[in-house]
Amino acid sequence: MTTTSDCLLLPILASKAAPGLARTLTRSRLDKWGYGHISDDAFLIASELIANAVTATPGKEIRYRCSRDIEGVLIAVWDGSPGSPRVRPVIEMALDTLDVSEEHWDDNGGRGLPIVAALAAECGHTPDPHGGKWV
């Protein structure tokens, strides 16, 4: 993908605040490019990819990229983990089995990558020659 000069490439600390920061900065880019109509899908994709990177490399640097070309918008997240992204089994939840304790508040998911695959025109990952991967 050939990017334009207004590509957003942002190093972020892998923390709980990272998805919100990416959503805020993405909104202005999408509006500027005339892609406001896809903002809900783009926000969800960015949030899911960043949440996975935060889980893989907590407290480390991750990178968020939002760029465009003639084919559309690219959203990608880099993390330093050498492991490939894996779809976790989806946990069927019921109110009596849902664990909302502080130490397990986000362990009830497994839907992130399937959501990304459903919303994106394409998805996958690419190893970075300098280490880590782009998803």
PDB file of all heavy atoms in Angstrom, residues 3 7 15 20 22 24 26-27 32 37 47 49 52 64 70-71 92 95-96 103 113 118 121 123 129-130:
ATOM      1  N   THR A   3       1.319   4.986   0.878  1.00  0.00           N
ATOM      2  CA  THR A   3       0.638   5.886   1.798  1.00  0.00           C
ATOM      3  C   THR A   3       0.826   7.330   1.372  1.00  0.00           C
ATOM      4  O   THR A   3       1.740   7.677   0.648  1.00  0.00           O
ATOM      5  CB  THR A   3       1.176   5.719   3.233  1.00  0.00           C
ATOM      6  OG1 THR A   3       2.565   6.012   3.244  1.00  0.00           O
ATOM      7  CG2 THR A   3       0.943   4.311   3.728  1.00  0.00           C
ATOM      8  N   CYS A   7      -0.431  10.209   6.432  1.00  0.00           N
ATOM      9  CA  CYS A   7      -0.515   8.934   7.134  1.00  0.00           C
ATOM     10  C   CYS A   7      -0.285   9.170   8.627  1.00  0.00           C
ATOM     11  O   CYS A   7       0.614   9.906   9.020  1.00  0.00           O
ATOM     12  CB  CYS A   7       0.553   7.981   6.586  1.00  0.00           C
ATOM     13  SG  CYS A   7       0.801   6.485   7.550  1.00  0.00           S
ATOM     14  N   SER A  15      -0.981   0.303  26.823  1.00  0.00           N
ATOM     15  CA  SER A  15      -1.711   0.512  28.076  1.00  0.00           C
ATOM     16  C   SER A  15      -3.204   0.548  27.796  1.00  0.00           C
ATOM     17  O   SER A  15      -3.632   0.556  26.641  1.00  0.00           O
ATOM     18  CB  SER A  15      -1.280   1.835  28.723  1.00  0.00           C
ATOM     19  OG  SER A  15      -1.748   2.916  27.940  1.00  0.00           O
ATOM     20  N   GLY A  20      -8.271   4.315  23.163  1.00  0.00           N
ATOM     21  CA  GLY A  20      -8.973   5.597  23.132  1.00  0.00           C
ATOM     22  C   GLY A  20      -8.184   6.668  22.409  1.00  0.00           C
ATOM     23  O   GLY A  20      -8.750   7.460  21.645  1.00  0.00           O
ATOM     24  N   ALA A  22      -5.982   6.195  20.011  1.00  0.00           N
ATOM     25  CA  ALA A  22      -6.029   5.877  18.576  1.00  0.00           C
ATOM     26  C   ALA A  22      -7.375   6.259  17.976  1.00  0.00           C
ATOM     27  O   ALA A  22      -7.432   6.822  16.875  1.00  0.00           O
ATOM     28  CB  ALA A  22      -5.744   4.394  18.353  1.00  0.00           C
ATOM     29  N   THR A  24      -9.444   8.615  18.962  1.00  0.00           N
ATOM     30  CA  THR A  24      -9.526  10.076  18.891  1.00  0.00           C
ATOM     31  C   THR A  24      -8.770  10.615  17.685  1.00  0.00           C
ATOM     32  O   THR A  24      -9.286  11.457  16.937  1.00  0.00           O
ATOM     33  CB  THR A  24      -8.964  10.701  20.188  1.00  0.00           C
ATOM     34  OG1 THR A  24      -9.752  10.251  21.290  1.00  0.00           O
ATOM     35  CG2 THR A  24      -8.977  12.213  20.126  1.00  0.00           C
ATOM     36  N   THR A  26      -7.840   8.943  15.002  1.00  0.00           N
ATOM     37  CA  THR A  26      -8.379   8.377  13.763  1.00  0.00           C
ATOM     38  C   THR A  26      -9.600   9.156  13.291  1.00  0.00           C
ATOM     39  O   THR A  26      -9.782   9.357  12.093  1.00  0.00           O
ATOM     40  CB  THR A  26      -8.729   6.889  13.964  1.00  0.00           C
ATOM     41  OG1 THR A  26      -7.533   6.187  14.323  1.00  0.00           O
ATOM     42  CG2 THR A  26      -9.316   6.276  12.711  1.00  0.00           C
ATOM     43  N   ARG A  27     -10.417   9.608  14.208  1.00  0.00           N
ATOM     44  CA  ARG A  27     -11.627  10.348  13.828  1.00  0.00           C
ATOM     45  C   ARG A  27     -11.301  11.544  12.949  1.00  0.00           C
ATOM     46  O   ARG A  27     -11.906  11.740  11.895  1.00  0.00           O
ATOM     47  CB  ARG A  27     -12.412  10.827  15.039  1.00  0.00           C
ATOM     48  CG  ARG A  27     -13.593  11.740  14.623  1.00  0.00           C
ATOM     49  CD  ARG A  27     -14.504  12.098  15.739  1.00  0.00           C
ATOM     50  NE  ARG A  27     -15.186  10.987  16.337  1.00  0.00           N
ATOM     51  CZ  ARG A  27     -16.235  10.342  15.799  1.00  0.00           C
ATOM     52  NH1 ARG A  27     -16.670  10.686  14.606  1.00  0.00           N
ATOM     53  NH2 ARG A  27     -16.809   9.361  16.431  1.00  0.00           N
ATOM     54  N   LYS A  32     -11.235  14.089   7.679  1.00  0.00           N
ATOM     55  CA  LYS A  32     -10.445  14.852   6.705  1.00  0.00           C
ATOM     56  C   LYS A  32     -10.430  14.169   5.341  1.00  0.00           C
ATOM     57  O   LYS A  32     -10.493  14.818   4.308  1.00  0.00           O
ATOM     58  CB  LYS A  32      -9.015  15.009   7.238  1.00  0.00           C
ATOM     59  CG  LYS A  32      -8.066  15.718   6.313  1.00  0.00           C
ATOM     60  CD  LYS A  32      -6.673  15.801   6.941  1.00  0.00           C
ATOM     61  CE  LYS A  32      -5.687  16.421   5.995  1.00  0.00           C
ATOM     62  NZ  LYS A  32      -4.338  16.476   6.570  1.00  0.00           N
ATOM     63  N   HIS A  37     -17.994   7.902   7.191  1.00  0.00           N
ATOM     64  CA  HIS A  37     -19.024   6.856   7.170  1.00  0.00           C
ATOM     65  C   HIS A  37     -18.513   5.487   7.637  1.00  0.00           C
ATOM     66  O   HIS A  37     -19.310   4.615   7.965  1.00  0.00           O
ATOM     67  CB  HIS A  37     -19.631   6.739   5.767  1.00  0.00           C
ATOM     68  CG  HIS A  37     -18.644   6.346   4.715  1.00  0.00           C
ATOM     69  ND1 HIS A  37     -17.715   7.230   4.207  1.00  0.00           N
ATOM     70  CD2 HIS A  37     -18.442   5.167   4.084  1.00  0.00           C
ATOM     71  CE1 HIS A  37     -16.973   6.609   3.302  1.00  0.00           C
ATOM     72  NE2 HIS A  37     -17.392   5.362   3.212  1.00  0.00           N
ATOM     73  N   SER A  47      -9.483  -0.589  17.946  1.00  0.00           N
ATOM     74  CA  SER A  47      -9.558  -0.964  19.364  1.00  0.00           C
ATOM     75  C   SER A  47      -9.203  -2.420  19.592  1.00  0.00           C
ATOM     76  O   SER A  47      -8.462  -2.755  20.522  1.00  0.00           O
ATOM     77  CB  SER A  47     -10.961  -0.692  19.907  1.00  0.00           C
ATOM     78  OG  SER A  47     -11.245   0.674  19.888  1.00  0.00           O
ATOM     79  N   LEU A  49      -7.411  -4.485  17.600  1.00  0.00           N
ATOM     80  CA  LEU A  49      -5.999  -4.753  17.297  1.00  0.00           C
ATOM     81  C   LEU A  49      -5.086  -4.196  18.382  1.00  0.00           C
ATOM     82  O   LEU A  49      -4.109  -4.841  18.780  1.00  0.00           O
ATOM     83  CB  LEU A  49      -5.631  -4.169  15.936  1.00  0.00           C
ATOM     84  CG  LEU A  49      -6.323  -4.798  14.722  1.00  0.00           C
ATOM     85  CD1 LEU A  49      -5.848  -4.117  13.438  1.00  0.00           C
ATOM     86  CD2 LEU A  49      -6.089  -6.295  14.661  1.00  0.00           C
ATOM     87  N   ASN A  52      -5.244  -6.328  21.552  1.00  0.00           N
ATOM     88  CA  ASN A  52      -4.432  -7.540  21.410  1.00  0.00           C
ATOM     89  C   ASN A  52      -2.949  -7.234  21.574  1.00  0.00           C
ATOM     90  O   ASN A  52      -2.210  -8.000  22.201  1.00  0.00           O
ATOM     91  CB  ASN A  52      -4.686  -8.199  20.056  1.00  0.00           C
ATOM     92  CG  ASN A  52      -6.055  -8.842  19.965  1.00  0.00           C
ATOM     93  OD1 ASN A  52      -6.758  -8.991  20.962  1.00  0.00           O
ATOM     94  ND2 ASN A  52      -6.447  -9.213  18.765  1.00  0.00           N
ATOM     95  N   TYR A  64       0.714   2.347  16.010  1.00  0.00           N
ATOM     96  CA  TYR A  64      -0.586   2.368  15.355  1.00  0.00           C
ATOM     97  C   TYR A  64      -0.452   3.124  14.043  1.00  0.00           C
ATOM     98  O   TYR A  64       0.132   4.195  14.001  1.00  0.00           O
ATOM     99  CB  TYR A  64      -1.622   3.051  16.251  1.00  0.00           C
ATOM    100  CG  TYR A  64      -2.944   3.267  15.568  1.00  0.00           C
ATOM    101  CD1 TYR A  64      -3.759   2.196  15.251  1.00  0.00           C
ATOM    102  CD2 TYR A  64      -3.375   4.537  15.230  1.00  0.00           C
ATOM    103  CE1 TYR A  64      -4.973   2.384  14.611  1.00  0.00           C
ATOM    104  CE2 TYR A  64      -4.587   4.740  14.598  1.00  0.00           C
ATOM    105  CZ  TYR A  64      -5.376   3.659  14.296  1.00  0.00           C
ATOM    106  OH  TYR A  64      -6.565   3.856  13.661  1.00  0.00           O
ATOM    107  N   ILE A  70      -5.781   4.606  -2.927  1.00  0.00           N
ATOM    108  CA  ILE A  70      -6.928   4.565  -3.824  1.00  0.00           C
ATOM    109  C   ILE A  70      -7.905   3.442  -3.457  1.00  0.00           C
ATOM    110  O   ILE A  70      -9.102   3.533  -3.724  1.00  0.00           O
ATOM    111  CB  ILE A  70      -6.462   4.448  -5.301  1.00  0.00           C
ATOM    112  CG1 ILE A  70      -7.609   4.743  -6.260  1.00  0.00           C
ATOM    113  CG2 ILE A  70      -5.877   3.088  -5.578  1.00  0.00           C
ATOM    114  CD1 ILE A  70      -7.963   6.180  -6.355  1.00  0.00           C
ATOM    115  N   GLU A  71      -7.397   2.392  -2.815  1.00  0.00           N
ATOM    116  CA  GLU A  71      -8.239   1.245  -2.463  1.00  0.00           C
ATOM    117  C   GLU A  71      -8.995   1.423  -1.161  1.00  0.00           C
ATOM    118  O   GLU A  71      -9.935   0.693  -0.889  1.00  0.00           O
ATOM    119  CB  GLU A  71      -7.380  -0.013  -2.386  1.00  0.00           C
ATOM    120  CG  GLU A  71      -6.754  -0.375  -3.721  1.00  0.00           C
ATOM    121  CD  GLU A  71      -5.821  -1.562  -3.617  1.00  0.00           C
ATOM    122  OE1 GLU A  71      -5.879  -2.301  -2.616  1.00  0.00           O
ATOM    123  OE2 GLU A  71      -5.023  -1.743  -4.541  1.00  0.00           O
ATOM    124  N   GLU A  92     -18.684 -19.002  25.527  1.00  0.00           N
ATOM    125  CA  GLU A  92     -20.113 -18.712  25.626  1.00  0.00           C
ATOM    126  C   GLU A  92     -20.370 -18.197  27.031  1.00  0.00           C
ATOM    127  O   GLU A  92     -20.016 -18.839  28.012  1.00  0.00           O
ATOM    128  CB  GLU A  92     -20.940 -19.961  25.340  1.00  0.00           C
ATOM    129  CG  GLU A  92     -20.823 -20.443  23.913  1.00  0.00           C
ATOM    130  CD  GLU A  92     -21.279 -19.390  22.897  1.00  0.00           C
ATOM    131  OE1 GLU A  92     -22.240 -18.651  23.171  1.00  0.00           O
ATOM    132  OE2 GLU A  92     -20.656 -19.318  21.828  1.00  0.00           O
ATOM    133  N   LEU A  95     -24.912 -15.144  32.510  1.00  0.00           N
ATOM    134  CA  LEU A  95     -24.754 -14.312  33.698  1.00  0.00           C
ATOM    135  C   LEU A  95     -24.165 -15.069  34.877  1.00  0.00           C
ATOM    136  O   LEU A  95     -23.379 -14.510  35.640  1.00  0.00           O
ATOM    137  CB  LEU A  95     -26.089 -13.684  34.088  1.00  0.00           C
ATOM    138  CG  LEU A  95     -26.584 -12.589  33.153  1.00  0.00           C
ATOM    139  CD1 LEU A  95     -27.951 -12.099  33.595  1.00  0.00           C
ATOM    140  CD2 LEU A  95     -25.601 -11.436  33.102  1.00  0.00           C
ATOM    141  N   ASP A  96     -24.488 -16.343  35.029  1.00  0.00           N
ATOM    142  CA  ASP A  96     -23.978 -17.091  36.176  1.00  0.00           C
ATOM    143  C   ASP A  96     -22.528 -17.553  35.989  1.00  0.00           C
ATOM    144  O   ASP A  96     -21.881 -17.933  36.957  1.00  0.00           O
ATOM    145  CB  ASP A  96     -24.881 -18.278  36.510  1.00  0.00           C
ATOM    146  CG  ASP A  96     -25.063 -19.238  35.355  1.00  0.00           C
ATOM    147  OD1 ASP A  96     -24.912 -18.811  34.198  1.00  0.00           O
ATOM    148  OD2 ASP A  96     -25.365 -20.418  35.624  1.00  0.00           O
ATOM    149  N   GLU A 103      -9.316  -8.916  38.399  1.00  0.00           N
ATOM    150  CA  GLU A 103      -8.196  -9.614  37.767  1.00  0.00           C
ATOM    151  C   GLU A 103      -8.595 -10.366  36.499  1.00  0.00           C
ATOM    152  O   GLU A 103      -7.743 -10.731  35.700  1.00  0.00           O
ATOM    153  CB  GLU A 103      -7.490 -10.556  38.750  1.00  0.00           C
ATOM    154  CG  GLU A 103      -8.334 -11.681  39.279  1.00  0.00           C
ATOM    155  CD  GLU A 103      -9.123 -11.305  40.542  1.00  0.00           C
ATOM    156  OE1 GLU A 103      -9.092 -10.140  40.962  1.00  0.00           O
ATOM    157  OE2 GLU A 103      -9.789 -12.189  41.084  1.00  0.00           O
ATOM    158  N   LEU A 113     -10.391 -10.903  16.986  1.00  0.00           N
ATOM    159  CA  LEU A 113      -9.965 -11.168  15.607  1.00  0.00           C
ATOM    160  C   LEU A 113     -11.125 -11.567  14.691  1.00  0.00           C
ATOM    161  O   LEU A 113     -11.160 -11.129  13.538  1.00  0.00           O
ATOM    162  CB  LEU A 113      -8.841 -12.202  15.581  1.00  0.00           C
ATOM    163  CG  LEU A 113      -7.497 -11.696  16.118  1.00  0.00           C
ATOM    164  CD1 LEU A 113      -6.468 -12.826  16.138  1.00  0.00           C
ATOM    165  CD2 LEU A 113      -6.985 -10.519  15.318  1.00  0.00           C
ATOM    166  N   ALA A 118     -14.535  -9.842  10.176  1.00  0.00           N
ATOM    167  CA  ALA A 118     -15.876  -9.575   9.650  1.00  0.00           C
ATOM    168  C   ALA A 118     -16.015  -8.153   9.115  1.00  0.00           C
ATOM    169  O   ALA A 118     -16.732  -7.922   8.144  1.00  0.00           O
ATOM    170  CB  ALA A 118     -16.922  -9.818  10.740  1.00  0.00           C
ATOM    171  N   ALA A 121     -11.979  -5.463   4.885  1.00  0.00           N
ATOM    172  CA  ALA A 121     -11.947  -6.056   3.540  1.00  0.00           C
ATOM    173  C   ALA A 121     -10.898  -7.156   3.479  1.00  0.00           C
ATOM    174  O   ALA A 121     -11.071  -8.161   2.797  1.00  0.00           O
ATOM    175  CB  ALA A 121     -11.665  -4.979   2.494  1.00  0.00           C
ATOM    176  N   CYS A 123      -7.622  -9.000   6.176  1.00  0.00           N
ATOM    177  CA  CYS A 123      -6.902  -8.952   7.449  1.00  0.00           C
ATOM    178  C   CYS A 123      -5.853 -10.053   7.452  1.00  0.00           C
ATOM    179  O   CYS A 123      -5.943 -11.025   6.721  1.00  0.00           O
ATOM    180  CB  CYS A 123      -7.844  -9.063   8.636  1.00  0.00           C
ATOM    181  SG  CYS A 123      -8.719 -10.614   8.767  1.00  0.00           S
ATOM    182  N   PRO A 129      10.712  -6.974   9.543  1.00  0.00           N
ATOM    183  CA  PRO A 129      12.105  -7.417   9.443  1.00  0.00           C
ATOM    184  C   PRO A 129      12.964  -6.972  10.635  1.00  0.00           C
ATOM    185  O   PRO A 129      14.004  -7.559  10.884  1.00  0.00           O
ATOM    186  CB  PRO A 129      12.607  -6.788   8.142  1.00  0.00           C
ATOM    187  CG  PRO A 129      11.581  -5.807   7.733  1.00  0.00           C
ATOM    188  CD  PRO A 129      10.315  -6.126   8.425  1.00  0.00           C
ATOM    189  N   HIS A 130      12.507  -5.982  11.389  1.00  0.00           N
ATOM    190  CA  HIS A 130      13.259  -5.495  12.536  1.00  0.00           C
ATOM    191  C   HIS A 130      12.756  -6.125  13.837  1.00  0.00           C
ATOM    192  O   HIS A 130      13.229  -5.770  14.923  1.00  0.00           O
ATOM    193  CB  HIS A 130      13.157  -3.969  12.627  1.00  0.00           C
ATOM    194  CG  HIS A 130      13.664  -3.290  11.396  1.00  0.00           C
ATOM    195  ND1 HIS A 130      14.990  -3.268  11.043  1.00  0.00           N
ATOM    196  CD2 HIS A 130      12.998  -2.656  10.402  1.00  0.00           C
ATOM    197  CE1 HIS A 130      15.136  -2.619   9.892  1.00  0.00           C
ATOM    198  NE2 HIS A 130      13.922  -2.248   9.488  1.00  0.00           N
TER     199      HIS A 130
END
